[in-house]
């Protein structure tokens, strides 16, 4: 008996939830609480309950009766108030609630866009250490021991030197060229390969509107037989048009980097702005190839490196690099 009472309470709740109009509601209420309803049917059978159980059953009857009355008055109210159709529990006409969604950081957006452009051109994204040794940051990149770029004022050297070996936070992503070609050698692979390597770099510059002690670069490297400067220009021009727009013009100015020969800087011009420098590039120096056991007689390659913050500042018109790192929500929301 007690089970049967509980059962009608549960069912009444379930059925009330899906009631859609006043007529169905009345019918349902009648089914449970009417003179010939389920509850009345059960109470009429109290005489069949053993005398010693009647007290408990009677109590349960009172409780269920109250529960049913509550269910039907609740639903009656909500039906009456809304003029009818949906129940109180689920109003499918209400606007949904959304979790607060964040947005990608502008630097992430630039890294993703640049990476995907190069991926479409056949480059593979790779990621490597931020703490490096001098071989990967300098020596194998043909940067001699007395080069000013190795000065301790221009680098974050780590610890005290061990056996003359110093480690540092990398000052450029060009380290990944050496890391990757070491790996090619160790795994007995050979060119061709095309890689793109985005990541953080560190230089102890005083912070101002255009300098930060940590920033991001994207490195590229392509090595194969017969890679020429024409390939370099073709790939980088394609990239500039994809990133800044189809009308973008490019120009290459001769420059010097120890790890490329010849070397150049590429400028872009778009939307009536002047020429803006966006990256350094060049043909991989034969000494760099030799440092990683790749025969420069047989293979050649080109490399390039660009600053992510600089690209983001140009593309989005950001005037101060510090805005990228302050996490001001008003700044970040603009990139949603
Ligand atoms: N590593 C250079 C820098 O930090 C950028 C660069 C220039 C990278 C020329 C290259 C390159 O791969 O070929 O200023």
């Amino acid at each position: 008996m007690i089970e049967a009472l509980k059962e009608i309470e549960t069912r009444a709740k379930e059925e009330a939830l899906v009631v859609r109009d006043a007529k169905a509601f009345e019918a349902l209420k009648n089914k449970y609480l009417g003179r010939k309803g389920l509850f009345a049917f059960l109470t009429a059978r109290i005489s069949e309950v053993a005398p010693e159980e009647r007290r408990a059953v009677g109590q349960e009857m009172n409780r269920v009766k109250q529960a049913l009355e509550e269910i039907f008055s609740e639903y009656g109210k909500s039906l009456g108030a809304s003029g009818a159709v949906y129940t109180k529990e689920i109003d499918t006409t209400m606007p949904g609630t959304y979790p607060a969604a964040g947005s990608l950081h502008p630097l992430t957006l630039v890294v993703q866009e640049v990476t995907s452009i190069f991926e479409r051109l056949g480059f593979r994204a790779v990621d490597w250490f931020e703490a490096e040794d001098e071989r990967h940051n300098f020596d194998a990149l043909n940067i001699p021991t007395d080069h000013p770029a190795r000065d301790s004022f221009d680098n974050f050297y780590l610890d005290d030197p061990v056996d003359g070996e110093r480690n540092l936070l990398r000052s450029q992503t060009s380290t990944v060229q050496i890391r990757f070609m070491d790996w090619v050698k160790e795994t007995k692979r050979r060119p061709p390969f095309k890689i793109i390597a985005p990541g953080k770099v560190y230089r102890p510059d005083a912070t101002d509107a255009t300098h930060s002690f940590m920033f991001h670069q994207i490195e590229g490297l392509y090595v194969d037989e017969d890679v020429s400067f024409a390939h370099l220009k073709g790939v980088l021009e394609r990239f500039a048009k994809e990133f800044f727009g189809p009308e973008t013009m490019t120009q290459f100015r001769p420059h010097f980097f120890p790890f490329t020969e010849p070397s150049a800087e590429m400028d872009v011009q778009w939307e009536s702005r002047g020429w803006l420098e966006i990256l350094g590039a060049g043909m991989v120096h034969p000494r760099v190839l030799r440092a990683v056991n790749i025969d420069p007689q047989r293979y050649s390659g080109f490399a390039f490196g660009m600053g992510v913050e600089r690209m983001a500042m140009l593309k989005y018109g950001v005037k101060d690099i510090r805005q990228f790192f302050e996490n001001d929500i008003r700044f970040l929301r603009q990139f949603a």
Side-chain angles (χ1 to χ4, degrees):
M1 187 67 139
I2 289 188
E3 268 69 68
L5 283 162
K6 285 199 161 72
E7 174 87 22
I8 65 168
E9 181 189 355
T10 317
R11 290 234 188 131
K13 263 188 203 154
E14 285 168 7
E15 289 177 38
L17 272 177
V18 295
V19 153
R20 301 210 153 212
D21 57 41
K23 212 174 140 208
F25 172 76
E26 280 312 317
L28 190 69
K29 187 173 171 184
N30 221 23
K31 174 177 165 190
Y32 284 94
L33 282 175
R35 255 188 320 114
K36 294 183 179 167
L38 286 169
F39 185 75
F41 174 75
L42 285 180
T43 49
R45 298 175 65 175
I46 188 86
S47 57
E48 294 168 21
V49 174
E52 64 273 22
E53 284 174 18
R54 281 196 196 154
R55 201 181 139 80
V57 170
Q59 273 175 2
E60 183 65 6
M61 273 178 180
N62 285 335
R63 193 190 65 73
V64 170
K65 176 142 199 240
Q66 245 179 14
L68 290 173
E69 275 162 358
E70 238 167 68
I71 291 167
F72 289 107
S73 81
E74 285 267 300
Y75 288 105
K77 259 185 262 157
S78 65
L79 275 171
S82 66
V85 192
Y86 300 109
T87 64
K88 181 176 168 193
E89 244 80 336
I90 306 168
D91 180 350
T92 55
T93 65
M94 294 262 289
T97 50
Y98 297 90
S103 56
L104 293 175
H105 193 278
L107 297 178
T108 306
L109 292 176
V110 169
V111 166
Q112 287 185 348
E113 188 178 351
V114 172
T115 304
S116 89
I117 292 169
F118 281 102
E119 280 176 342
R120 271 178 269 145
L121 294 168
F123 288 72
R124 256 279 185 105
V126 301
D127 185 24
W128 231 298
F129 308 142
E130 289 176 25
E132 270 295 1
D133 53 36
E134 292 190 274
R135 173 177 133 74
H136 291 88
N137 204 85
F138 302 121
D139 300 323
L141 287 163
N142 193 37
I143 301 174
T145 320
D146 57 359
H147 195 281
R150 301 179 71 136
D151 202 292
S152 51
F153 293 107
D154 291 323
N155 294 283
F156 285 110
Y157 283 102
L158 302 167
D159 307 318
D160 292 327
V162 181
D163 299 332
E165 283 278 341
R166 286 191 296 181
N167 292 320
L168 73 159
L169 297 180
R170 69 180 176 194
S171 63
Q172 49 181 357
T173 47
S174 303
T175 53
V176 181
Q177 293 188 34
I178 306 305
R179 284 283 166 196
F180 185 81
M181 291 191 288
D182 276 351
W183 174 83
V184 165
K185 183 181 73 184
E186 279 159 23
T187 56
K188 303 198 162 37
R189 283 160 217 259
R190 274 179 281 122
F193 47 77
K194 287 176 176 169
I195 56 161
I196 186 97
K200 292 184 170 66
V201 299
Y202 301 84
R203 295 180 195 175
D205 290 325
T207 303
D208 62 25
T210 53
H211 293 85
S212 166
F213 58 85
M214 184 283 296
F215 57 101
H216 299 75
Q217 290 186 331
I218 302 180
E219 191 80 11
L221 174 70
Y222 172 30
V223 177
D224 198 349
E225 290 176 5
D226 300 322
V227 175
S228 74
F229 204 89
H231 294 119
L232 179 157
K233 286 182 74 176
V235 165
L236 294 179
E237 277 174 17
R238 178 80 249 139
F239 161 71
K241 286 183 166 38
E242 297 266 341
F243 189 81
F244 291 107
E247 309 302 324
T248 307
M249 311 225 286
T250 51
Q251 77 179 7
F252 290 81
R253 281 177 292 100
H255 200 75
F256 174 81
F257 296 106
F259 32 88
T260 44
E261 179 59 32
S263 306
E265 280 183 336
M266 185 173 87
D267 303 334
V268 293
Q269 193 184 47
W270 88 108
E271 286 174 9
S272 69
R273 288 168 222 227
W275 289 106
L276 299 160
E277 179 215 318
I278 61 156
L279 56 80
M283 302 306 295
V284 180
H285 199 293
R287 282 194 201 145
V288 173
L289 293 176
R290 255 183 249 119
V292 291
N293 271 13
I294 290 175
D295 179 5
Q297 302 288 347
R298 174 159 181 204
Y299 295 107
S300 56
F302 69 74
F304 57 90
M306 67 185 91
V308 176
E309 281 76 1
R310 189 173 164 76
M311 301 279 288
M313 287 168 88
L314 291 177
K315 184 151 187 168
Y316 301 124
V318 175
K319 297 280 179 300
D320 192 319
I321 197 173
R322 287 168 290 201
Q323 294 201 280
F324 292 124
F325 309 117
E326 280 166 357
N327 282 334
D328 185 331
I329 199 81
R330 293 166 301 178
F331 173 75
L332 298 173
R333 276 210 181 113
Q334 298 177 66
F335 302 92

